[in-house]
């Protein structure tokens, strides 16, 4: 009867794993499918008859252009969230919502310009950092209706799964453990020989310095030996460097679809201070375990993606404006006025309204008639 | 004088006159007589007073004879004074002297009435008689329902006898039961008597033991006093014979102390023996309460497992007792965090779970595998949907 559950099993129960994790191929396939559907639709609603007949190609955004536009708006969400001084998990959730939304929707149908504000508002609600709608609308100088209009559409696209697993809390856990190791305390893991806390502390002190590629700002003091205090500094520096990586590149790439938060955070640590990350993993994965090389390879692959990202990939303002003018020409006209359709959906259709008016009128008449029956004719008539 | 004047218009006589019809009748009529008698009594309190004061046979009153005792015979419940009983019935059975009653009464059956109301007296007698025959116990029955039914039957009989309904019939039933079950009745009666006896015996034994304990304590005290006295005399004698005062005093004290210790040890031994004896006796005491149900000790409930047998296993970390990280340390000291019962280690645990949950999950592999399975399932689902569509079509066609 007793069944055991490991941390991995816990992750497997999450909606993030069940609905929002993909292999690189399936992710690409999904995006292609969405894109192709959008192109087909664009052909149908095109104004130009030649395009409709298939004689001329529709001037749509290419797939990579779509992707970069979404990426640009992820960046936009990050800056807006920072502007509000919201905690990092709101930002991460909002970015992830936007990316998930554009897996099943094309920018041709819903331009990200109209979506990202709503996504950020939704994320601030789900992450319990609530700001009232009016306050939010005022500070980004937008009409509240514009923010609310696509909200239901987004919820549908998210398949009503609002949980986003993030690497930040886990990174804090890692920091906690590394600091303890530096202080000569270690939580033994079954099957791993750490050679004792003292030894591990010594190993940490004599650890080789981070390479030139490492993003950690910590530099080994050249002259003197590393002591406990500088070791703590090194760990803290590695932590903040990893955190910066998780905050920036990790959000702007696809790693959240392809890897688990645990792998992502260790990859970030790997980039920040490789020797430190390796030593830490040494205390976690049994040498003889079969999964060990595979886990290390996965982390390395993830680190590659994060490391290869550069801010140059993000669209500049001019490029974005250019793409959006092109988008404006080929966008889906049916979703142009989201506010109106939203309001109509909320109120019910026009014909419904008419039926209601009729009903009300009939009821009033009936009521009046019954009243007459009950109390006889008007008193005025009797007097006359 | 006024109290003496009243008997002239004695209601007792009047009542006797009215009772005439029921003389010599069976029990039922007697019962009616008694009821009527009591009704009369409630009608006039004066008459009541007189009835308790004056013997209806010889008319001697308590006023003249303070030691006057009234007796009744359960045969007819007519009241008369002790001297009348002596006078009329000392030569053997004789008819009741109350006019129109005439039942044959025997002297040894006369007794003092317990209850003031004769109806109550009679009812209690009848109940005693019935209970002596129907003396089955609850444990003789299979279940409570049967026992209650039996009690109901018994009550029916009792009530009939008391209220005089179908007396002959009831009496017949009663006697028949008595005949048929005489042996059982006897056994039950004996058992009850035995139980009562053993209970009183037990009480007697306990009282005796308490008395003995008290006496022992008193004897001991006396002994001690005597010894102290002796010791003192001894010391004085030795001092008189020229010994060193200090050593003699010390020795005297030592001797006394040793004696006391000895006595205490002996008492302790005695007590232990007694306790052992008691323990032995308790097991095989002749005082047995019968009919107690065998009590089975309830199994202690198992603790509730909210996870239904699911166990969480940490495979990548083990939680340490403390973390030097300042985030943890500060929160530990912060009274705002701890006042509500928040355990900082919950945070540590949660962070560590977050750090490692999914480390061994290879998304690319597992998702591909899952998708294949999912596609198969989807194919089945599609087939089902097709069938559903067909069904709907048929409904529409109909």
């Amino acid at each position: 009867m007793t069944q055991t559950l490991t941390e991995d099993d816990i992750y497997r129960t999450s909606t993030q794993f069940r609905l929002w994790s993909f292999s690189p191929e399936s992710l690409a396939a999904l995006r292609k499918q969405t894109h192709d559907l959008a192109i087909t639709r664009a052909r149908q609603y095109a104004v130009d008859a030649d395009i409709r007949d298939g004689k001329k190609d529709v001037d749509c955004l290419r797939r990579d252009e779509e992707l970069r536009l979404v990426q640009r708006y992820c960046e936009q969400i990050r800056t807006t969230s920072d502007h509000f001084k919201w905690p990092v998990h709101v930002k991460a959730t909002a970015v992830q919502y936007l990316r998930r939304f554009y897996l099943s929707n094309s920018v041709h149908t819903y331009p990200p310009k109209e979506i990202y504000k709503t996504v950020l508002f939704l994320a601030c609600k789900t992450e319990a950092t609530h700001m009232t709608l009016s306050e939010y609308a005022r500070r980004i100088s937008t009409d509240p209706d514009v923010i609310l209009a696509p909200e239901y559409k987004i919820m549908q696209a998210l398949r009503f799964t609002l949980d986003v697993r993030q690497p930040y809390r886990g990174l804090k856990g890692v920091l906690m453990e590394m600091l303890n190791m530096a202080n000569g305390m270690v939580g033994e893991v079954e099957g791993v020989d750490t050679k004792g806390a003292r030894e591990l502390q010594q190993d940490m002190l004599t650890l080789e310095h981070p390479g030139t590629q490492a993003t950690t700002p910590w530099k080994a003091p050249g002259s003197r030996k590393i002591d406990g205090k500088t070791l703590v500094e090194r760990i803290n520096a590695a932590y903040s460097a990893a955190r910066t990586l998780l905050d920036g590149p990790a959000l702007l790439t696809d790693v959240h679809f392809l890897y688990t938060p645990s792998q992502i955070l260790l990859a970030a640590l790997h980039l920040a201070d490789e020797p430190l990350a390796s030593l830490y993993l040494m205390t976690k994965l049994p040498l003889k375990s079969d999964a060990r090389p595979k886990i290390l390879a996965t982390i390395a692959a993830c680190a590659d993606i994060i490391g290869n990202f550069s801010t140059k990939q993000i669209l500049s303002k001019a490029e974005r404006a250019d793409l959006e003018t092109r988008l404006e020409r080929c966008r889906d006209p049916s979703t142009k006025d989201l506010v109106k359709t939203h309001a109509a959906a909320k109120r019910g259709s026009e014909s419904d309204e008419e039926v209601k008016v009729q009903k009300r009128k009939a009821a009033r008449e009936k009521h009046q008639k019954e009243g007459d029956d009950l109390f006889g004719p008007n008193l005025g008539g009797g007097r006359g | 004088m006024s109290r003496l004047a009243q008997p002239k218009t004695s209601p007792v006589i009047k009542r006797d006159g009215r009772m005439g019809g029921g003389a010599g009748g069976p029990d039922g009529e007697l019962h009616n007589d008694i009821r009527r008698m009591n009704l009369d009594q409630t009608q006039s309190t004066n008459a009541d007073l007189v009835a308790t004061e004056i013997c209806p046979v010889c008319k001697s009153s308590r006023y003249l004879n303070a030691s006057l005792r009234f007796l009744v015979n359960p045969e007819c419940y007519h009241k008369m004074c002790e001297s009348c009983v002596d006078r009329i019935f000392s030569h053997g059975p004789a008819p009741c002297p109350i006019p129109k009653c005439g039942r044959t009464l025997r002297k040894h059956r006369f007794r003092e009435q317990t209850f003031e109301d004769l109806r109550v007296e009679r009812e209690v007698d009848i109940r005693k008689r019935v209970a002596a025959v129907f003396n089955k116990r609850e444990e003789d029955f299979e279940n409570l329902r049967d026992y209650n039914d039996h009690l109901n039957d018994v009550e029916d009989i009792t009530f009939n006898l008391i209220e005089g309904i179908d007396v002959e019939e009831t009496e017949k039933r009663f006697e028949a039961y008595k005949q048929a079950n005489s042996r059982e009745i006897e056994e039950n009666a004996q058992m009850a008597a035995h139980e009562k006896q053993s209970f009183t015996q037990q009480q007697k034994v306990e009282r005796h033991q308490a008395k003995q304990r008290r006496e022992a304590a008193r004897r001991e005290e006396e002994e001690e006093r005597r010894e102290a006295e002796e010791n003192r005399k001894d010391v004085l004698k030795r001092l008189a014979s020229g010994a060193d005062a200090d050593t003699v005093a010390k020795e005297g004290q030592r001797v006394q102390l040793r004696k006391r210790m000895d006595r205490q040890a002996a008492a302790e031994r005695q007590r232990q023996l007694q306790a052992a004896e008691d323990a032995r006796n308790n097991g095989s005491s002749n005082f047995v309460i019968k009919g107690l149900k065998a009590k089975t000790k309830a199994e202690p409930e198992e603790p509730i497992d909210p996870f239904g047998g699911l166990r969480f296993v940490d495979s990548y970390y083990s939680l340490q007792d403390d973390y030097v990280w300042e985030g943890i340390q500060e929160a530990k000291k912060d009274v705002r965090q701890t006042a509500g019962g928040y355990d900082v280690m919950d945070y540590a645990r949660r962070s560590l779970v977050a750090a490692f949950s999914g480390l061994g999950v290879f998304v690319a592999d597992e998702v591909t595998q899952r998708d294949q399975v999912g596609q198969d399932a989807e194919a089945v689902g599609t087939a089902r949907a097709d069938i559903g569509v067909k069904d709907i079509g048929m409904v529409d066609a109909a």
Side-chain angles (χ1 to χ4, degrees), chain B residues 326-391:
Chain B
E326 54 199 15
I328 294 280
Q329 291 300 329
E330 275 168 22
K332 251 188 182 169
K333 279 183 223 138
D334 192 351
V335 74
R336 281 170 303 177
Q337 307 267 2
T338 51
Y342 176 68
D343 185 2
V344 185
M345 293 324 272
D346 282 348
Y347 175 84
R349 189 182 182 86
R350 197 177 159 195
S351 308
L352 287 173
V353 171
F356 295 108
S357 82
L359 183 59
V361 176
F362 305 108
V363 171
D365 297 354
E366 292 187 21
V367 165
T368 317
Q369 202 179 346
R370 186 185 64 194
D371 283 353
Q372 276 162 6
V373 176
Q375 270 166 8
D376 295 345
E378 212 167 90
V380 174
T382 316
R384 250 188 231 141
D386 278 350
I387 294 167
V389 166
K390 272 175 205 156
D391 283 350

Side-chain angles (χ1 to χ4, degrees), chain B residues 127-141 147 150-151 154-155 157-158 174 177-178 180-195:
Chain B
R127 282 190 183 280
K128 265 188 197 158
R129 190 162 73 106
V130 174
V133 172
F134 292 100
N135 57 2
K136 280 206 189 304
R137 295 151 177 247
E138 188 177 349
E139 59 260 31
D140 294 336
F141 292 90
Y147 180 57
H150 169 75
L151 286 184
V154 172
E155 184 58 30
I157 290 173
T158 316
F174 183 71
Y177 177 83
K178 198 173 172 179
N181 299 292
S182 59
R183 216 166 59 83
E184 270 178 57
I185 292 166
E186 183 68 15
E187 266 173 20
N188 277 341
Q190 268 180 9
M191 197 149 61
H194 182 72
E195 272 173 20

